Coordinates of all heavy atoms in Angstrom, one line a residue:
C113 N -7.2 7.8 -4.1 CA -6.5 7.3 -2.9 C -5.5 8.4 -2.4 O -4.8 9.0 -3.2 CB -5.7 6.1 -3.2 SG -6.7 4.7 -3.8
C114 N -5.5 8.6 -1.1 CA -4.7 9.6 -0.5 C -3.2 9.1 -0.7 O -2.8 8.0 -0.3 CB -4.9 9.8 1.0 SG -6.5 10.6 1.2
G115 N -2.4 9.9 -1.2 CA -1.0 9.5 -1.6 C 0.0 9.9 -0.5 O -0.3 10.4 0.6
P116 N 1.3 9.7 -0.8 CA 2.3 9.9 0.2 C 2.7 11.4 0.4 O 2.5 12.2 -0.5 CB 3.5 9.2 -0.4 CG 3.3 9.4 -1.9 CD 1.8 9.3 -2.1
T117 N 3.1 11.7 1.6 CA 3.8 13.0 1.8 C 5.3 12.8 1.6 O 5.8 11.9 2.3 CB 3.5 13.4 3.3 OG1 2.1 13.3 3.5 CG2 4.0 14.8 3.6
V118 N 5.8 13.5 0.7 CA 7.1 13.1 0.2 C 8.2 14.0 0.9 O 8.9 14.8 0.3 CB 7.2 13.2 -1.4 CG1 6.6 12.0 -2.0 CG2 6.6 14.5 -1.9
Y119 N 8.4 13.7 2.2 CA 9.4 14.4 2.9 C 10.5 13.5 3.5 O 11.4 13.9 4.1 CB 8.8 15.3 4.0 CG 8.2 14.6 5.1 CD1 8.9 14.2 6.3 CD2 6.9 14.1 5.0 CE1 8.4 13.5 7.3 CE2 6.3 13.4 6.1 CZ 7.0 13.0 7.2 OH 6.5 12.3 8.2
S120 N 10.2 12.1 3.3 CA 11.2 11.2 3.8 C 10.8 9.8 3.1 O 9.8 9.7 2.4 CB 11.2 11.0 5.2 OG 9.9 10.4 5.7
D121 N 11.6 8.8 3.3 CA 11.3 7.5 2.7 C 10.0 7.0 3.2 O 9.7 7.1 4.4 CB 12.4 6.5 3.1 CG 13.7 6.7 2.2 OD1 13.6 7.0 1.0 OD2 14.8 6.7 2.9
A122 N 9.2 6.4 2.3 CA 8.0 5.6 2.8 C 8.5 4.5 3.6 O 9.4 3.8 3.2 CB 7.2 5.2 1.6
H123 N 7.8 4.3 4.7 CA 8.2 3.0 5.5 C 7.3 1.9 5.0 O 6.3 2.1 4.3 CB 8.2 3.2 7.0 CG 6.9 3.6 7.6 ND1 5.7 2.9 7.5 CD2 6.6 4.7 8.3 CE1 4.7 3.5 8.1 NE2 5.2 4.6 8.6
I124 N 7.6 0.6 5.4 CA 6.8 -0.5 4.8 C 5.4 -0.5 5.3 O 4.5 -1.1 4.7 CB 7.6 -1.8 5.1 CG1 7.8 -2.0 6.6 CG2 8.8 -2.0 4.3 CD1 8.4 -3.4 7.0
G125 N 5.1 0.3 6.4 CA 3.7 0.5 6.9 C 3.0 1.3 5.8 O 1.9 0.9 5.4
N126 N 3.5 2.4 5.5 CA 2.9 3.2 4.4 C 2.6 2.3 3.2 O 1.5 2.4 2.6 CB 3.8 4.4 4.0 CG 4.2 5.3 5.1 OD1 5.3 5.6 5.3 ND2 3.1 5.8 5.8
L127 N 3.7 1.6 2.9 CA 3.6 0.8 1.6 C 2.5 -0.3 1.7 O 2.0 -0.8 0.8 CB 4.9 0.2 1.3 CG 5.9 1.4 0.8 CD1 7.3 1.0 0.8 CD2 5.6 1.8 -0.6
R128 N 2.2 -0.8 3.0 CA 1.1 -1.8 3.1 C -0.2 -1.1 2.5 O -1.0 -1.8 1.9 CB 1.0 -2.2 4.6 CG -0.1 -3.2 4.7 CD -0.6 -3.6 6.1 NE -1.6 -4.6 6.0 CZ -2.4 -4.9 7.0 NH1 -2.4 -4.3 8.1 NH2 -3.3 -5.9 6.7
S129 N -0.4 0.2 2.8 CA -1.6 0.8 2.4 C -1.6 0.9 0.8 O -2.7 0.7 0.3 CB -1.7 2.3 2.9 OG -2.0 2.3 4.3
Y130 N -0.5 1.1 0.2 CA -0.5 1.1 -1.2 C -0.5 -0.3 -1.9 O -1.1 -0.4 -3.0 CB 0.8 1.9 -1.8 CG 0.7 3.3 -1.1 CD1 1.7 3.7 -0.2 CD2 -0.2 4.2 -1.5 CE1 1.6 4.9 0.3 CE2 -0.3 5.4 -1.0 CZ 0.6 5.8 0.0 OH 0.5 7.1 0.6
F132 N -2.4 -2.6 -0.5 CA -3.8 -2.9 -0.3 C -4.6 -2.2 -1.5 O -5.5 -2.8 -2.1 CB -4.3 -2.4 1.0 CG -5.7 -1.7 1.0 CD1 -6.8 -2.3 0.6 CD2 -5.8 -0.4 1.5 CE1 -8.1 -1.7 0.6 CE2 -7.0 0.3 1.5 CZ -8.2 -0.4 1.0
E133 N -4.2 -0.9 -1.8 CA -4.9 -0.2 -2.9 C -4.6 -0.9 -4.3 O -5.4 -0.9 -5.2 CB -4.5 1.2 -2.9 CG -5.2 2.0 -1.7 CD -4.4 3.2 -1.2 OE1 -3.5 3.6 -1.9 OE2 -4.9 3.7 -0.2
N152 N -2.8 11.3 -5.1 CA -2.0 12.6 -5.0 C -0.6 12.4 -4.4 O -0.4 11.4 -3.8 CB -2.8 13.6 -4.2 CG -2.9 13.0 -2.8 OD1 -3.4 12.0 -2.5 ND2 -2.4 13.9 -1.8
T154 N 1.6 14.6 -2.0 CA 1.6 15.7 -1.1 C 3.0 16.3 -1.0 O 3.8 15.8 -0.3 CB 1.1 15.4 0.4 OG1 -0.3 14.8 0.2 CG2 1.0 16.6 1.3
H158 N 1.4 19.6 5.2 CA 1.0 18.4 6.0 C 1.8 18.5 7.2 O 2.9 18.0 7.4 CB 1.4 17.1 5.2 CG 0.8 15.9 6.0 ND1 0.8 14.6 5.4 CD2 0.1 15.8 7.1 CE1 0.2 13.8 6.2 NE2 -0.2 14.5 7.3
D162 N -1.5 17.0 12.2 CA -2.7 17.6 11.5 C -3.9 17.7 12.3 O -4.8 18.5 12.1 CB -3.0 16.7 10.3 CG -1.9 16.9 9.3 OD1 -1.8 18.0 8.7 OD2 -1.2 15.9 9.1
K170 N 6.3 19.4 7.8 CA 7.2 18.3 7.7 C 8.3 18.5 6.6 O 9.4 18.1 6.7 CB 6.4 17.0 7.3 CG 5.6 16.5 8.6 CD 4.8 15.3 8.1 CE 4.1 14.7 9.2 NZ 3.2 13.6 8.8
F193 N 9.8 7.0 -3.8 CA 8.5 6.3 -3.5 C 8.1 5.5 -4.7 O 7.7 4.3 -4.5 CB 7.4 7.4 -3.1 CG 6.0 6.8 -3.1 CD1 5.7 6.1 -2.0 CD2 5.1 6.9 -4.2 CE1 4.4 5.5 -1.9 CE2 3.9 6.4 -4.1 CZ 3.5 5.7 -3.0
W304 N -3.8 21.1 4.5 CA -3.6 19.8 3.8 C -4.9 19.2 3.2 O -4.8 18.6 2.1 CB -3.0 18.8 4.8 CG -2.9 17.4 4.4 CD1 -2.4 16.9 3.2 CD2 -3.2 16.2 5.1 NE1 -2.5 15.6 3.1 CE2 -2.9 15.1 4.4 CE3 -3.7 16.1 6.4 CZ2 -3.1 13.8 4.8 CZ3 -3.9 14.7 6.8 CH2 -3.7 13.6 6.1
C324 N -10.0 5.9 -0.9 CA -9.3 5.0 0.0 C -8.2 5.8 0.8 O -7.8 6.9 0.5 CB -8.4 3.9 -0.7 SG -9.3 3.0 -1.9
G325 N -7.7 5.1 1.8 CA -6.6 5.6 2.6 C -6.3 4.6 3.8 O -7.1 3.7 4.0
G326 N -5.3 5.0 4.5 CA -5.0 4.1 5.7 C -6.0 4.6 6.8 O -6.6 5.7 6.7
V327 N -6.2 3.8 7.9 CA -7.2 4.1 8.9 C -6.9 5.5 9.5 O -7.8 6.2 10.0 CB -7.3 3.1 10.0 CG1 -8.2 2.0 9.7 CG2 -5.9 2.5 10.4
D328 N -5.6 5.8 9.6 CA -5.3 7.1 10.3 C -5.8 8.3 9.5 O -5.9 9.4 10.0 CB -3.8 7.2 10.5 CG -3.0 7.2 9.3 OD1 -3.3 6.2 8.5 OD2 -2.2 8.0 9.0
N329 N -6.1 8.1 8.3 CA -6.6 9.2 7.4 C -8.1 9.4 7.6 O -8.7 10.4 7.3 CB -6.5 8.9 5.9 CG -5.0 9.1 5.5 OD1 -4.6 8.6 4.4 ND2 -4.3 9.8 6.2
L330 N -8.8 8.4 8.3 CA -10.2 8.4 8.4 C -10.7 9.8 9.2 O -11.6 10.4 8.8 CB -10.7 7.2 9.2 CG -12.1 6.6 9.1 CD1 -12.1 5.2 9.6 CD2 -13.1 7.5 9.7
H334 N -10.3 12.5 6.3 CA -11.4 12.2 5.3 C -12.8 12.9 5.7 O -13.5 13.3 4.9 CB -11.6 10.7 5.3 CG -10.5 10.0 4.5 ND1 -10.2 8.6 4.6 CD2 -9.6 10.5 3.6 CE1 -9.2 8.4 3.8 NE2 -8.7 9.5 3.3
H355 N -10.8 1.7 4.1 CA -9.7 2.1 4.9 C -8.8 0.8 5.1 O -9.4 -0.2 5.6 CB -10.1 2.7 6.2 CG -10.7 4.1 6.0 ND1 -12.0 4.2 5.8 CD2 -10.1 5.3 5.7 CE1 -12.2 5.5 5.5 NE2 -11.1 6.2 5.5
G356 N -7.5 0.9 4.9 CA -6.6 -0.2 5.2 C -6.1 -0.1 6.6 O -5.7 1.0 7.0
E357 N -6.0 -1.2 7.2 CA -5.5 -1.2 8.6 C -4.0 -1.1 8.6 O -3.3 -1.3 7.6 CB -5.9 -2.5 9.4 CG -6.9 -2.3 10.4 CD -6.6 -1.4 11.6 OE1 -5.4 -1.0 11.7 OE2 -7.5 -1.0 12.3
H358 N -3.4 -0.8 9.7 CA -2.0 -0.5 9.8 C -1.1 -1.7 10.0 O -1.5 -2.8 10.4 CB -1.7 0.4 11.1 CG -1.9 1.9 10.7 ND1 -1.7 2.8 11.6 CD2 -2.2 2.4 9.6 CE1 -1.8 4.0 11.0 NE2 -2.2 3.8 9.8
L359 N 0.2 -1.5 9.6 CA 1.2 -2.5 9.9 C 1.8 -1.9 11.2 O 2.2 -0.7 11.2 CB 2.3 -2.4 8.7 CG 3.5 -3.3 9.0 CD1 3.1 -4.8 8.7 CD2 4.6 -2.9 8.2
N360 N 1.8 -2.7 12.2 CA 2.3 -2.3 13.5 C 3.6 -3.1 13.9 O 3.8 -4.2 13.4 CB 1.3 -2.4 14.6 CG 0.2 -1.4 14.4 OD1 0.4 -0.3 13.9 ND2 -1.0 -1.8 14.7
L361 N 4.3 -2.6 14.9 CA 5.4 -3.3 15.5 C 4.8 -3.9 16.8 O 3.8 -3.4 17.3 CB 6.5 -2.3 15.8 CG 7.1 -1.7 14.6 CD1 8.1 -0.6 15.1 CD2 7.9 -2.7 13.8
G364 N 4.1 -1.3 19.2 CA 3.1 -0.2 18.8 C 3.3 0.3 17.4 O 3.7 -0.5 16.5
K365 N 2.9 1.5 17.2 CA 2.7 2.1 15.9 C 4.1 2.2 15.1 O 5.1 2.5 15.8 CB 2.1 3.4 16.0 CG 1.2 3.8 14.9 CD 0.6 5.2 15.1 CE 0.3 5.8 13.8 NZ 0.4 7.3 13.8
M366 N 4.1 2.0 13.8 CA 5.2 2.3 13.0 C 5.0 3.6 12.3 O 4.0 3.8 11.7 CB 5.4 1.2 11.9 CG 6.6 1.4 11.0 SD 6.7 0.2 9.7 CE 7.2 -1.3 10.6
S367 N 5.9 4.5 12.6 CA 5.6 5.9 12.0 C 6.8 6.6 11.6 O 7.9 6.4 12.2 CB 4.7 6.7 12.8 OG 5.4 7.2 13.9
K368 N 6.7 7.4 10.5 CA 7.8 8.1 10.0 C 8.3 9.1 11.1 O 9.5 9.3 11.3 CB 7.4 9.0 8.9 CG 7.3 8.3 7.5 CD 7.0 9.2 6.4 CE 6.1 8.7 5.4 NZ 5.8 9.6 4.3
S369 N 7.3 9.7 11.8 CA 7.7 10.8 12.7 C 8.5 10.2 13.9 O 9.2 10.9 14.6 CB 6.5 11.6 13.1 OG 5.5 10.7 13.5
Y389 N 7.9 -9.3 1.2 CA 7.1 -8.4 2.0 C 5.7 -8.4 1.4 O 4.7 -8.4 2.1 CB 7.7 -7.0 2.1 CG 6.8 -6.1 2.8 CD1 6.5 -6.3 4.1 CD2 6.2 -5.0 2.1 CE1 5.6 -5.5 4.8 CE2 5.3 -4.2 2.8 CZ 5.0 -4.4 4.1 OH 4.1 -3.6 4.8
L402 N -1.6 -5.9 11.0 CA -0.6 -6.9 10.7 C 0.6 -6.5 11.6 O 1.1 -5.3 11.5 CB -0.3 -6.9 9.2 CG 0.9 -7.8 8.7 CD1 0.6 -9.2 9.0 CD2 1.1 -7.6 7.2
Ligands
LIG608 P1 1.7 9.7 4.8 O1 2.8 9.7 3.7 O2 2.2 9.9 6.1 O3 0.6 10.7 4.4 O4 1.0 8.3 4.7 C1 0.7 7.6 3.5 C2 -0.2 6.5 3.7 O5 0.2 5.5 4.6 C3 -1.6 7.0 4.3 O6 -2.6 6.3 3.6 C4 -1.5 6.4 5.7 O7 -2.8 6.2 6.2 C5 -0.7 5.2 5.6 N1 0.0 4.7 6.8 C6 0.7 5.4 7.7 N2 1.2 4.7 8.7 C7 0.8 3.4 8.4 C8 1.1 2.1 8.9 N3 1.8 1.9 10.0 N4 0.5 1.0 8.3 C9 -0.2 1.2 7.1 N5 -0.4 2.3 6.6 C10 0.1 3.4 7.2

Side-chain angles (χ1 to χ4, degrees):
C113 302
C114 293
T117 308
V118 282
Y119 67 94
S120 68
D121 285 315
H123 60 60
I124 55 172
N126 300 126
L127 290 161
R128 183 187 182 201
S129 287
Y130 302 111
F132 140 59
E133 287 154 8
N152 63 305
T154 301
H158 189 176
D162 290 293
K170 287 175 175 177
F193 171 77
W304 170 47
C324 308
V327 274
D328 58 310
N329 284 162
L330 207 165
H334 290 162
H355 292 97
E357 255 298 348
H358 273 181
L359 178 80
N360 289 326
L361 297 169
K365 213 176 150 210
M366 180 181 288
S367 74
K368 283 188 212 181
S369 48
Y389 177 61
L402 175 60

